[in-house]
Amino acid sequence: MASAKFGLVDVMIGRRSSVHGGRFGRVFLGRLLATTVMIAPGLLLSSVPAAMAQTNPAGAVTFAIAPQSVDGALAAFSAATRIQVLSPGVVTQGVDSPGVSGSMSAREGLNRLLSGTGLAARFLNTETVTVERVAAGGAIQLDPVQIEGSGAATGPGALPPAYAGGQVARGGRIGALGNQDAMDVPFSVTGYTGETIRNQQADTVADVLANDPAVRSGLGYGNFAESFVIRGFQLMGEDLSIDGLYGTAPRQIVATNMFERVEVLKGANAFLNGAAPSGSGIGGGVNLVPKRAEDEPLTRLTASYAMDSRFGLSADVGRRFGDANQFGVRVNAAIRGGETAIDDEERTLKLGSLALDYRGERARVTLDVGTQTQRVEQGRPVVYFGSFVPAVPSASQNYAQPWSYSQMRDTFGQIRAEYDILPNLTAYGAFGLRSMREDGDYASPTITRPDGTGTVRRLTVPREDFTSTGQAGIRADLHTGPVRHQLNAGASALRTTNNNGFEFGTTTAINLYNMVGFPRPATTSASGMVGDPPKVSESVLRSVYASDTLSILDDRVMVTAGLRQQNIQVRGFNRANGARTSDYDQSALTPVVGLVVKPIKELSLYANRIEGLAQGPTAPSTAANSGEIFEPYRSVQYEVGGKLDFGSFGGSLSLFQTTQPSGVTDAFTRIYSVSGEQRNRGIELMLYGEPVQGVRLLGGATFIDPELTDTGSAATEGKDAVGVPRHQFNANVEWDLPFLPASFPTVTLTGRVIHTGSQYLNTANTLKIPSWTRFDVGARMVTDIQNRPVIVRAAVENVTDKAYWASAYGGYLSQGAPLTAKLSLSVDF
């Protein structure tokens, strides 16, 4: 395979001189880049290397490469493993390979391909290898074949391998049950890989979850937090987990630089994960997997640009040490800042993380520490409304006040360990801490007339949280006759204190479509603004759990049953004098039952009954029973489905029903009770893989009927829940162009479509926002400079610059992002 030449295109981008001129320049630049992406074959012929994927050299690959030229054999090897091979053409010219067949590691397969050729391979990292000629008379030293014990494969940091195409994983962390293959569990899980995160230039978790047909994102209530809706129920940013542990993830916006995977467990999960700290996650949970040092050394620098003038630089370094590579170190650092594609909005990020791990014969330990600071200046806020739906402003228009901002600083650390007491008996535990400080001036407009007239009021909120969290347990794998048992028992606990103050400013008249900046309003009322923020609440969540997965017929029939006893304590305090104002203390038992049947190896049928759990409500002051505290909300989910795995292409189909209780005040007696219910019934389809060599697919569809029942009002009975679309579609396609000359590697073109149905804004279903569709395009290429891989990625999101309300969840409006062009360049040293 001849080494590719490297070409450089300099693009000069002028800073906008006005809002209208900036929008014209931004749209022109974005569409120019989109056009460039579509005609990339003609523009990039001098630098179009093979698409690169994350492949573990120690994993098993089935080869069927016939004897041929080394160039042809290496091309076939790269296609089979998605490992980029770099070599000067003069080295391989006129050399033949004996070929290779059979199932083995990629490393061993490459060594066999080069056997007797006078060439040797050297892995730069898990994704890139160089081929070099051995000096005449010298010995050919092949890259060593590493044989790893099962400890490395089953430790807390070990991940299910990537599926064909490298975009998703074969499984993920199933809460207390640990890492599992998706075909072996009665739940729906999708793990988006580090390759997907890098290739899509996904800066935050919301960017990653834009790939999932069951997930949609919006902003938090009055702030810039990323909030998710999974299967029609909210998942708040506070309720993301890191490596299976609640309480340590950043609270509002989570950058992806320190994480290897973003895993989505769809459906209720109170047994698997415990009750979420802020009580959301009824429709699913998100787990973030920290990066770990891999067997191959890694030193990667990435420079990035995003419209209008947001530049970034990140570093990712990993090494393993010890005579058996038992010690690992992974360091990530990133800085990013500048104006976004929204007029006058600026965002900055500073991030650093350190991941240490030890993998021994009987013990495995991981330690993760990280810090992240996000600042949003003049961020475009959410919009509140009255008895009508305001028309959506232009895609890039900003209706924020110049003094509004939010700064969020999170620092976390957690340690996880496990020890094999016996070959089939393992003890495990984890402990984590997080400290958080937020400051901000917020100003979300409320629109009262169709012409955009409304009001805005300043809200200033300093906040500090401190969280400690942990879990411990034991698992065993044993047999009783023909039945295999996978037993698991343990306990978890989480404690969070919330300190905050608030300050309200005067109310000012505004117009959404012609926003005029005004000075920061004077204060009208305040509490807890002197000195450190006072303690406002304290939450303590405790649980104990036990489960057994019984398997027969070589794991072709598997039954999971488990129980988790959970206790939720929430105490409220007066800001002025610290006196306790409320005391919530309730417990609940949440069971799970699941079944997996595999009639053939390519098909897994499953069913489950599982519950969700959230803090119960307190009767409002307007009710006759004001102040009464109710038991925790217990949601119930029933789900059946099937999963297909054809090796290169897979998918899943599920049918689910989830019921969520809700509080209702009787119109006649004024007594508040938990009698209403939101019942989401749905069908979910997911497809992924590489059905044809060089063509990768990722996407699916979700259909939901979000019905409100037992509401106590004829105006709302049987209506759709607020902010829940009845249908959602995603389609992501990657294509390695096949018609380029054999001496050149490949360019990859990408395209994505995201469609979301209409959403109601009120429970009476008299107001709704229309459906919307977003189109994204992109391209990537890989070249080498002195045998160092260089990856260039380009993308345009919302290529049509469509203006749309993206979310109505919560009864307020979040606007979708405008046309945004992205460009990045990564170099491995």
Side-chain angles (χ1 to χ4, degrees), residues 563-599:
L563 292 171
R564 186 186 288 255
Q565 176 68 31
Q566 311 199 49
N567 175 256
I568 302 175
Q569 292 182 338
V570 182
R571 298 184 176 93
F573 300 89
N574 185 286
R575 287 186 179 88
N577 56 27
R580 185 180 299 180
T581 57
S582 62
D583 194 344
Y584 179 98
D585 189 344
Q586 297 286 341
S587 299
L589 186 67
T590 54
V592 62
V593 178
L595 171 67
V596 174
V597 178
K598 304 175 187 176

mmCIF file of all heavy atoms in Angstrom, residues 563-599:
data_model
loop_
_atom_site.group_PDB
_atom_site.id
_atom_site.type_symbol
_atom_site.label_atom_id
_atom_site.label_comp_id
_atom_site.label_asym_id
_atom_site.label_seq_id
_atom_site.Cartn_x
_atom_site.Cartn_y
_atom_site.Cartn_z
ATOM 1 N N LEU A 563 -34.439 -8.383 43.443
ATOM 2 C CA LEU A 563 -35.143 -7.445 44.299
ATOM 3 C C LEU A 563 -34.166 -6.386 44.788
ATOM 4 O O LEU A 563 -33.004 -6.686 45.074
ATOM 5 C CB LEU A 563 -35.767 -8.142 45.509
ATOM 6 C CG LEU A 563 -36.929 -9.115 45.272
ATOM 7 C CD1 LEU A 563 -37.248 -9.854 46.561
ATOM 8 C CD2 LEU A 563 -38.156 -8.354 44.770
ATOM 9 N N ARG A 564 -34.643 -5.147 44.872
ATOM 10 C CA ARG A 564 -33.854 -4.071 45.483
ATOM 11 C C ARG A 564 -34.766 -3.315 46.457
ATOM 12 O O ARG A 564 -35.795 -2.770 46.066
ATOM 13 C CB ARG A 564 -33.290 -3.117 44.442
ATOM 14 C CG ARG A 564 -32.338 -2.071 45.052
ATOM 15 C CD ARG A 564 -31.895 -1.034 44.037
ATOM 16 N NE ARG A 564 -30.971 -1.528 43.051
ATOM 17 C CZ ARG A 564 -29.652 -1.265 43.036
ATOM 18 N NH1 ARG A 564 -29.126 -0.546 44.012
ATOM 19 N NH2 ARG A 564 -28.905 -1.733 42.063
ATOM 20 N N GLN A 565 -34.364 -3.268 47.716
ATOM 21 C CA GLN A 565 -35.061 -2.486 48.730
ATOM 22 C C GLN A 565 -34.394 -1.116 48.804
ATOM 23 O O GLN A 565 -33.192 -1.013 49.065
ATOM 24 C CB GLN A 565 -35.004 -3.179 50.101
ATOM 25 C CG GLN A 565 -35.621 -2.389 51.240
ATOM 26 C CD GLN A 565 -37.127 -2.258 51.115
ATOM 27 O OE1 GLN A 565 -37.796 -3.140 50.584
ATOM 28 N NE2 GLN A 565 -37.677 -1.153 51.603
ATOM 29 N N GLN A 566 -35.200 -0.054 48.571
ATOM 30 C CA GLN A 566 -34.629 1.279 48.461
ATOM 31 C C GLN A 566 -35.280 2.235 49.455
ATOM 32 O O GLN A 566 -36.484 2.172 49.689
ATOM 33 C CB GLN A 566 -34.821 1.814 47.041
ATOM 34 C CG GLN A 566 -34.382 0.809 45.986
ATOM 35 C CD GLN A 566 -34.117 1.435 44.637
ATOM 36 O OE1 GLN A 566 -33.423 2.428 44.544
ATOM 37 N NE2 GLN A 566 -34.654 0.834 43.594
ATOM 38 N N ASN A 567 -34.458 3.108 50.001
ATOM 39 C CA ASN A 567 -34.924 4.127 50.928
ATOM 40 C C ASN A 567 -34.489 5.499 50.425
ATOM 41 O O ASN A 567 -33.333 5.688 50.024
ATOM 42 C CB ASN A 567 -34.363 3.877 52.330
ATOM 43 C CG ASN A 567 -34.720 4.986 53.305
ATOM 44 O OD1 ASN A 567 -33.890 5.822 53.631
ATOM 45 N ND2 ASN A 567 -35.968 5.000 53.756
ATOM 46 N N ILE A 568 -35.443 6.444 50.414
ATOM 47 C CA ILE A 568 -35.167 7.802 49.953
ATOM 48 C C ILE A 568 -35.455 8.769 51.095
ATOM 49 O O ILE A 568 -36.581 8.820 51.604
ATOM 50 C CB ILE A 568 -36.034 8.167 48.733
ATOM 51 C CG1 ILE A 568 -35.790 7.185 47.582
ATOM 52 C CG2 ILE A 568 -35.744 9.600 48.274
ATOM 53 C CD1 ILE A 568 -36.711 7.408 46.393
ATOM 54 N N GLN A 569 -34.443 9.543 51.484
ATOM 55 C CA GLN A 569 -34.592 10.570 52.506
ATOM 56 C C GLN A 569 -34.241 11.924 51.896
ATOM 57 O O GLN A 569 -33.171 12.076 51.310
ATOM 58 C CB GLN A 569 -33.677 10.318 53.711
ATOM 59 C CG GLN A 569 -34.041 9.111 54.542
ATOM 60 C CD GLN A 569 -33.111 8.962 55.743
ATOM 61 O OE1 GLN A 569 -32.002 9.480 55.744
ATOM 62 N NE2 GLN A 569 -33.577 8.270 56.767
ATOM 63 N N VAL A 570 -35.125 12.878 52.034
ATOM 64 C CA VAL A 570 -34.868 14.239 51.550
ATOM 65 C C VAL A 570 -35.282 15.213 52.640
ATOM 66 O O VAL A 570 -36.437 15.191 53.098
ATOM 67 C CB VAL A 570 -35.649 14.543 50.257
ATOM 68 C CG1 VAL A 570 -35.320 15.954 49.762
ATOM 69 C CG2 VAL A 570 -35.329 13.518 49.179
ATOM 70 N N ARG A 571 -34.347 16.078 53.054
ATOM 71 C CA ARG A 571 -34.625 17.079 54.084
ATOM 72 C C ARG A 571 -34.435 18.470 53.499
ATOM 73 O O ARG A 571 -33.469 18.723 52.779
ATOM 74 C CB ARG A 571 -33.710 16.898 55.286
ATOM 75 C CG ARG A 571 -33.888 15.553 55.999
ATOM 76 C CD ARG A 571 -33.025 15.480 57.242
ATOM 77 N NE ARG A 571 -33.250 14.248 57.972
ATOM 78 C CZ ARG A 571 -32.526 13.135 57.812
ATOM 79 N NH1 ARG A 571 -31.549 13.127 56.918
ATOM 80 N NH2 ARG A 571 -32.789 12.056 58.508
ATOM 81 N N GLY A 572 -35.364 19.376 53.800
ATOM 82 C CA GLY A 572 -35.271 20.754 53.357
ATOM 83 C C GLY A 572 -34.946 21.682 54.517
ATOM 84 O O GLY A 572 -35.320 21.411 55.674
ATOM 85 N N PHE A 573 -34.249 22.797 54.214
ATOM 86 C CA PHE A 573 -33.797 23.709 55.267
ATOM 87 C C PHE A 573 -34.095 25.151 54.872
ATOM 88 O O PHE A 573 -34.054 25.525 53.689
ATOM 89 C CB PHE A 573 -32.292 23.541 55.511
ATOM 90 C CG PHE A 573 -31.891 22.158 55.941
ATOM 91 C CD1 PHE A 573 -31.568 21.200 54.988
ATOM 92 C CD2 PHE A 573 -31.871 21.808 57.272
ATOM 93 C CE1 PHE A 573 -31.201 19.916 55.372
ATOM 94 C CE2 PHE A 573 -31.509 20.527 57.669
ATOM 95 C CZ PHE A 573 -31.177 19.578 56.709
ATOM 96 N N ASN A 574 -34.371 25.974 55.878
ATOM 97 C CA ASN A 574 -34.613 27.389 55.673
ATOM 98 C C ASN A 574 -33.298 28.102 55.394
ATOM 99 O O ASN A 574 -32.324 27.944 56.138
ATOM 100 C CB ASN A 574 -35.287 27.976 56.915
ATOM 101 C CG ASN A 574 -35.670 29.424 56.733
ATOM 102 O OD1 ASN A 574 -34.829 30.311 56.745
ATOM 103 N ND2 ASN A 574 -36.968 29.658 56.571
ATOM 104 N N ARG A 575 -33.260 28.912 54.306
ATOM 105 C CA ARG A 575 -32.026 29.597 53.952
ATOM 106 C C ARG A 575 -31.585 30.598 55.017
ATOM 107 O O ARG A 575 -30.393 30.829 55.200
ATOM 108 C CB ARG A 575 -32.200 30.324 52.612
ATOM 109 C CG ARG A 575 -32.235 29.452 51.384
ATOM 110 C CD ARG A 575 -32.258 30.301 50.122
ATOM 111 N NE ARG A 575 -32.262 29.483 48.931
ATOM 112 C CZ ARG A 575 -33.365 29.018 48.358
ATOM 113 N NH1 ARG A 575 -34.547 29.301 48.902
ATOM 114 N NH2 ARG A 575 -33.298 28.279 47.272
ATOM 115 N N ALA A 576 -32.560 31.216 55.670
ATOM 116 C CA ALA A 576 -32.229 32.307 56.587
ATOM 117 C C ALA A 576 -31.667 31.807 57.910
ATOM 118 O O ALA A 576 -30.674 32.337 58.418
ATOM 119 C CB ALA A 576 -33.472 33.167 56.825
ATOM 120 N N ASN A 577 -32.289 30.760 58.498
ATOM 121 C CA ASN A 577 -31.861 30.337 59.837
ATOM 122 C C ASN A 577 -31.415 28.885 59.917
ATOM 123 O O ASN A 577 -31.023 28.416 60.983
ATOM 124 C CB ASN A 577 -32.990 30.584 60.847
ATOM 125 C CG ASN A 577 -34.285 29.891 60.442
ATOM 126 O OD1 ASN A 577 -34.283 28.874 59.751
ATOM 127 N ND2 ASN A 577 -35.423 30.452 60.882
ATOM 128 N N GLY A 578 -31.454 28.153 58.809
ATOM 129 C CA GLY A 578 -30.998 26.767 58.804
ATOM 130 C C GLY A 578 -31.974 25.781 59.399
ATOM 131 O O GLY A 578 -31.654 24.584 59.495
ATOM 132 N N ALA A 579 -33.154 26.216 59.814
ATOM 133 C CA ALA A 579 -34.133 25.310 60.416
ATOM 134 C C ALA A 579 -34.666 24.335 59.381
ATOM 135 O O ALA A 579 -34.827 24.671 58.203
ATOM 136 C CB ALA A 579 -35.278 26.105 61.024
ATOM 137 N N ARG A 580 -34.938 23.114 59.823
ATOM 138 C CA ARG A 580 -35.486 22.103 58.916
ATOM 139 C C ARG A 580 -36.928 22.443 58.585
ATOM 140 O O ARG A 580 -37.745 22.691 59.461
ATOM 141 C CB ARG A 580 -35.394 20.718 59.548
ATOM 142 C CG ARG A 580 -35.828 19.590 58.601
ATOM 143 C CD ARG A 580 -35.728 18.232 59.263
ATOM 144 N NE ARG A 580 -34.360 17.918 59.656
ATOM 145 C CZ ARG A 580 -34.005 16.785 60.260
ATOM 146 N NH1 ARG A 580 -34.914 15.875 60.543
ATOM 147 N NH2 ARG A 580 -32.738 16.575 60.583
ATOM 148 N N THR A 581 -37.224 22.437 57.288
ATOM 149 C CA THR A 581 -38.569 22.793 56.835
ATOM 150 C C THR A 581 -39.362 21.598 56.310
ATOM 151 O O THR A 581 -40.584 21.675 56.203
ATOM 152 C CB THR A 581 -38.497 23.855 55.731
ATOM 153 O OG1 THR A 581 -37.689 23.358 54.649
ATOM 154 C CG2 THR A 581 -37.863 25.147 56.266
ATOM 155 N N SER A 582 -38.690 20.513 55.940
ATOM 156 C CA SER A 582 -39.394 19.328 55.437
ATOM 157 C C SER A 582 -38.529 18.106 55.691
ATOM 158 O O SER A 582 -37.302 18.197 55.803
ATOM 159 C CB SER A 582 -39.703 19.454 53.945
ATOM 160 O OG SER A 582 -38.516 19.557 53.192
ATOM 161 N N ASP A 583 -39.188 16.974 55.794
ATOM 162 C CA ASP A 583 -38.471 15.726 56.054
ATOM 163 C C ASP A 583 -39.206 14.590 55.351
ATOM 164 O O ASP A 583 -40.268 14.159 55.786
ATOM 165 C CB ASP A 583 -38.392 15.462 57.556
ATOM 166 C CG ASP A 583 -37.371 14.366 57.885
ATOM 167 O OD1 ASP A 583 -36.968 13.640 56.966
ATOM 168 O OD2 ASP A 583 -36.980 14.263 59.060
ATOM 169 N N TYR A 584 -38.621 14.143 54.248
ATOM 170 C CA TYR A 584 -39.219 13.064 53.451
ATOM 171 C C TYR A 584 -38.419 11.796 53.710
ATOM 172 O O TYR A 584 -37.189 11.775 53.573
ATOM 173 C CB TYR A 584 -39.168 13.446 51.971
ATOM 174 C CG TYR A 584 -39.735 12.413 51.023
ATOM 175 C CD1 TYR A 584 -41.040 12.533 50.550
ATOM 176 C CD2 TYR A 584 -38.970 11.339 50.585
ATOM 177 C CE1 TYR A 584 -41.563 11.605 49.672
ATOM 178 C CE2 TYR A 584 -39.489 10.402 49.714
ATOM 179 C CZ TYR A 584 -40.783 10.536 49.263
ATOM 180 O OH TYR A 584 -41.299 9.605 48.400
ATOM 181 N N ASP A 585 -39.095 10.712 54.083
ATOM 182 C CA ASP A 585 -38.410 9.448 54.369
ATOM 183 C C ASP A 585 -39.348 8.310 53.978
ATOM 184 O O ASP A 585 -40.299 7.989 54.706
ATOM 185 C CB ASP A 585 -38.044 9.373 55.853
ATOM 186 C CG ASP A 585 -37.130 8.176 56.166
ATOM 187 O OD1 ASP A 585 -37.034 7.267 55.321
ATOM 188 O OD2 ASP A 585 -36.514 8.167 57.244
ATOM 189 N N GLN A 586 -39.075 7.739 52.807
ATOM 190 C CA GLN A 586 -39.943 6.688 52.293
ATOM 191 C C GLN A 586 -39.106 5.553 51.722
ATOM 192 O O GLN A 586 -37.971 5.756 51.275
ATOM 193 C CB GLN A 586 -40.878 7.230 51.213
ATOM 194 C CG GLN A 586 -41.854 8.294 51.687
ATOM 195 C CD GLN A 586 -42.988 7.725 52.514
ATOM 196 O OE1 GLN A 586 -43.271 6.512 52.458
ATOM 197 N NE2 GLN A 586 -43.645 8.568 53.291
ATOM 198 N N SER A 587 -39.677 4.344 51.717
ATOM 199 C CA SER A 587 -38.988 3.164 51.190
ATOM 200 C C SER A 587 -39.890 2.434 50.203
ATOM 201 O O SER A 587 -41.121 2.582 50.241
ATOM 202 C CB SER A 587 -38.583 2.210 52.316
ATOM 203 O OG SER A 587 -37.688 2.828 53.213
ATOM 204 N N ALA A 588 -39.260 1.641 49.340
ATOM 205 C CA ALA A 588 -40.013 0.852 48.364
ATOM 206 C C ALA A 588 -39.180 -0.351 47.952
ATOM 207 O O ALA A 588 -37.946 -0.311 47.963
ATOM 208 C CB ALA A 588 -40.378 1.690 47.147
ATOM 209 N N LEU A 589 -39.875 -1.416 47.573
ATOM 210 C CA LEU A 589 -39.237 -2.624 47.065
ATOM 211 C C LEU A 589 -39.470 -2.689 45.566
ATOM 212 O O LEU A 589 -40.613 -2.654 45.100
ATOM 213 C CB LEU A 589 -39.835 -3.861 47.746
ATOM 214 C CG LEU A 589 -39.177 -5.209 47.420
ATOM 215 C CD1 LEU A 589 -37.761 -5.261 47.974
ATOM 216 C CD2 LEU A 589 -40.011 -6.350 48.008
ATOM 217 N N THR A 590 -38.395 -2.748 44.788
ATOM 218 C CA THR A 590 -38.521 -2.759 43.324
ATOM 219 C C THR A 590 -37.970 -4.066 42.770
ATOM 220 O O THR A 590 -36.764 -4.318 42.818
ATOM 221 C CB THR A 590 -37.761 -1.565 42.715
ATOM 222 O OG1 THR A 590 -36.406 -1.569 43.165
ATOM 223 C CG2 THR A 590 -38.409 -0.257 43.118
ATOM 224 N N PRO A 591 -38.823 -4.903 42.210
ATOM 225 C CA PRO A 591 -38.388 -6.195 41.670
ATOM 226 C C PRO A 591 -38.069 -6.105 40.180
ATOM 227 O O PRO A 591 -38.385 -5.129 39.502
ATOM 228 C CB PRO A 591 -39.600 -7.092 41.901
ATOM 229 C CG PRO A 591 -40.762 -6.143 41.750
ATOM 230 C CD PRO A 591 -40.286 -4.807 42.259
ATOM 231 N N VAL A 592 -37.465 -7.166 39.669
ATOM 232 C CA VAL A 592 -37.233 -7.318 38.243
ATOM 233 C C VAL A 592 -37.367 -8.792 37.892
ATOM 234 O O VAL A 592 -36.956 -9.669 38.658
ATOM 235 C CB VAL A 592 -35.840 -6.800 37.825
ATOM 236 C CG1 VAL A 592 -34.720 -7.581 38.516
ATOM 237 C CG2 VAL A 592 -35.660 -6.889 36.313
ATOM 238 N N VAL A 593 -37.961 -9.068 36.736
ATOM 239 C CA VAL A 593 -38.027 -10.409 36.170
ATOM 240 C C VAL A 593 -37.735 -10.287 34.683
ATOM 241 O O VAL A 593 -38.339 -9.444 34.001
ATOM 242 C CB VAL A 593 -39.394 -11.081 36.389
ATOM 243 C CG1 VAL A 593 -39.414 -12.457 35.742
ATOM 244 C CG2 VAL A 593 -39.715 -11.180 37.870
ATOM 245 N N GLY A 594 -36.815 -11.085 34.188
ATOM 246 C CA GLY A 594 -36.473 -11.035 32.771
ATOM 247 C C GLY A 594 -36.237 -12.415 32.203
ATOM 248 O O GLY A 594 -35.809 -13.329 32.911
ATOM 249 N N LEU A 595 -36.522 -12.585 30.913
ATOM 250 C CA LEU A 595 -36.354 -13.869 30.228
ATOM 251 C C LEU A 595 -35.649 -13.645 28.898
ATOM 252 O O LEU A 595 -35.987 -12.716 28.160
ATOM 253 C CB LEU A 595 -37.724 -14.516 29.988
ATOM 254 C CG LEU A 595 -37.753 -15.757 29.084
ATOM 255 C CD1 LEU A 595 -37.034 -16.931 29.754
ATOM 256 C CD2 LEU A 595 -39.191 -16.120 28.719
ATOM 257 N N VAL A 596 -34.662 -14.499 28.605
ATOM 258 C CA VAL A 596 -33.974 -14.503 27.314
ATOM 259 C C VAL A 596 -34.035 -15.919 26.757
ATOM 260 O O VAL A 596 -33.696 -16.879 27.453
ATOM 261 C CB VAL A 596 -32.512 -14.050 27.441
ATOM 262 C CG1 VAL A 596 -31.782 -14.210 26.108
ATOM 263 C CG2 VAL A 596 -32.428 -12.607 27.918
ATOM 264 N N VAL A 597 -34.445 -16.050 25.494
ATOM 265 C CA VAL A 597 -34.482 -17.345 24.804
ATOM 266 C C VAL A 597 -33.776 -17.177 23.470
ATOM 267 O O VAL A 597 -34.096 -16.254 22.701
ATOM 268 C CB VAL A 597 -35.926 -17.834 24.586
ATOM 269 C CG1 VAL A 597 -35.930 -19.154 23.836
ATOM 270 C CG2 VAL A 597 -36.647 -17.971 25.918
ATOM 271 N N LYS A 598 -32.831 -18.068 23.168
ATOM 272 C CA LYS A 598 -32.089 -18.015 21.913
ATOM 273 C C LYS A 598 -32.383 -19.276 21.100
ATOM 274 O O LYS A 598 -31.691 -20.292 21.236
ATOM 275 C CB LYS A 598 -30.588 -17.918 22.188
ATOM 276 C CG LYS A 598 -30.184 -16.744 23.065
ATOM 277 C CD LYS A 598 -28.688 -16.802 23.373
ATOM 278 C CE LYS A 598 -28.286 -15.770 24.374
ATOM 279 N NZ LYS A 598 -26.856 -15.867 24.746
ATOM 280 N N PRO A 599 -33.403 -19.244 20.270
ATOM 281 C CA PRO A 599 -33.733 -20.436 19.479
ATOM 282 C C PRO A 599 -32.638 -20.789 18.489
ATOM 283 O O PRO A 599 -32.426 -21.963 18.178
ATOM 284 C CB PRO A 599 -35.036 -20.047 18.781
ATOM 285 C CG PRO A 599 -35.050 -18.552 18.788
ATOM 286 C CD PRO A 599 -34.339 -18.137 20.023
#
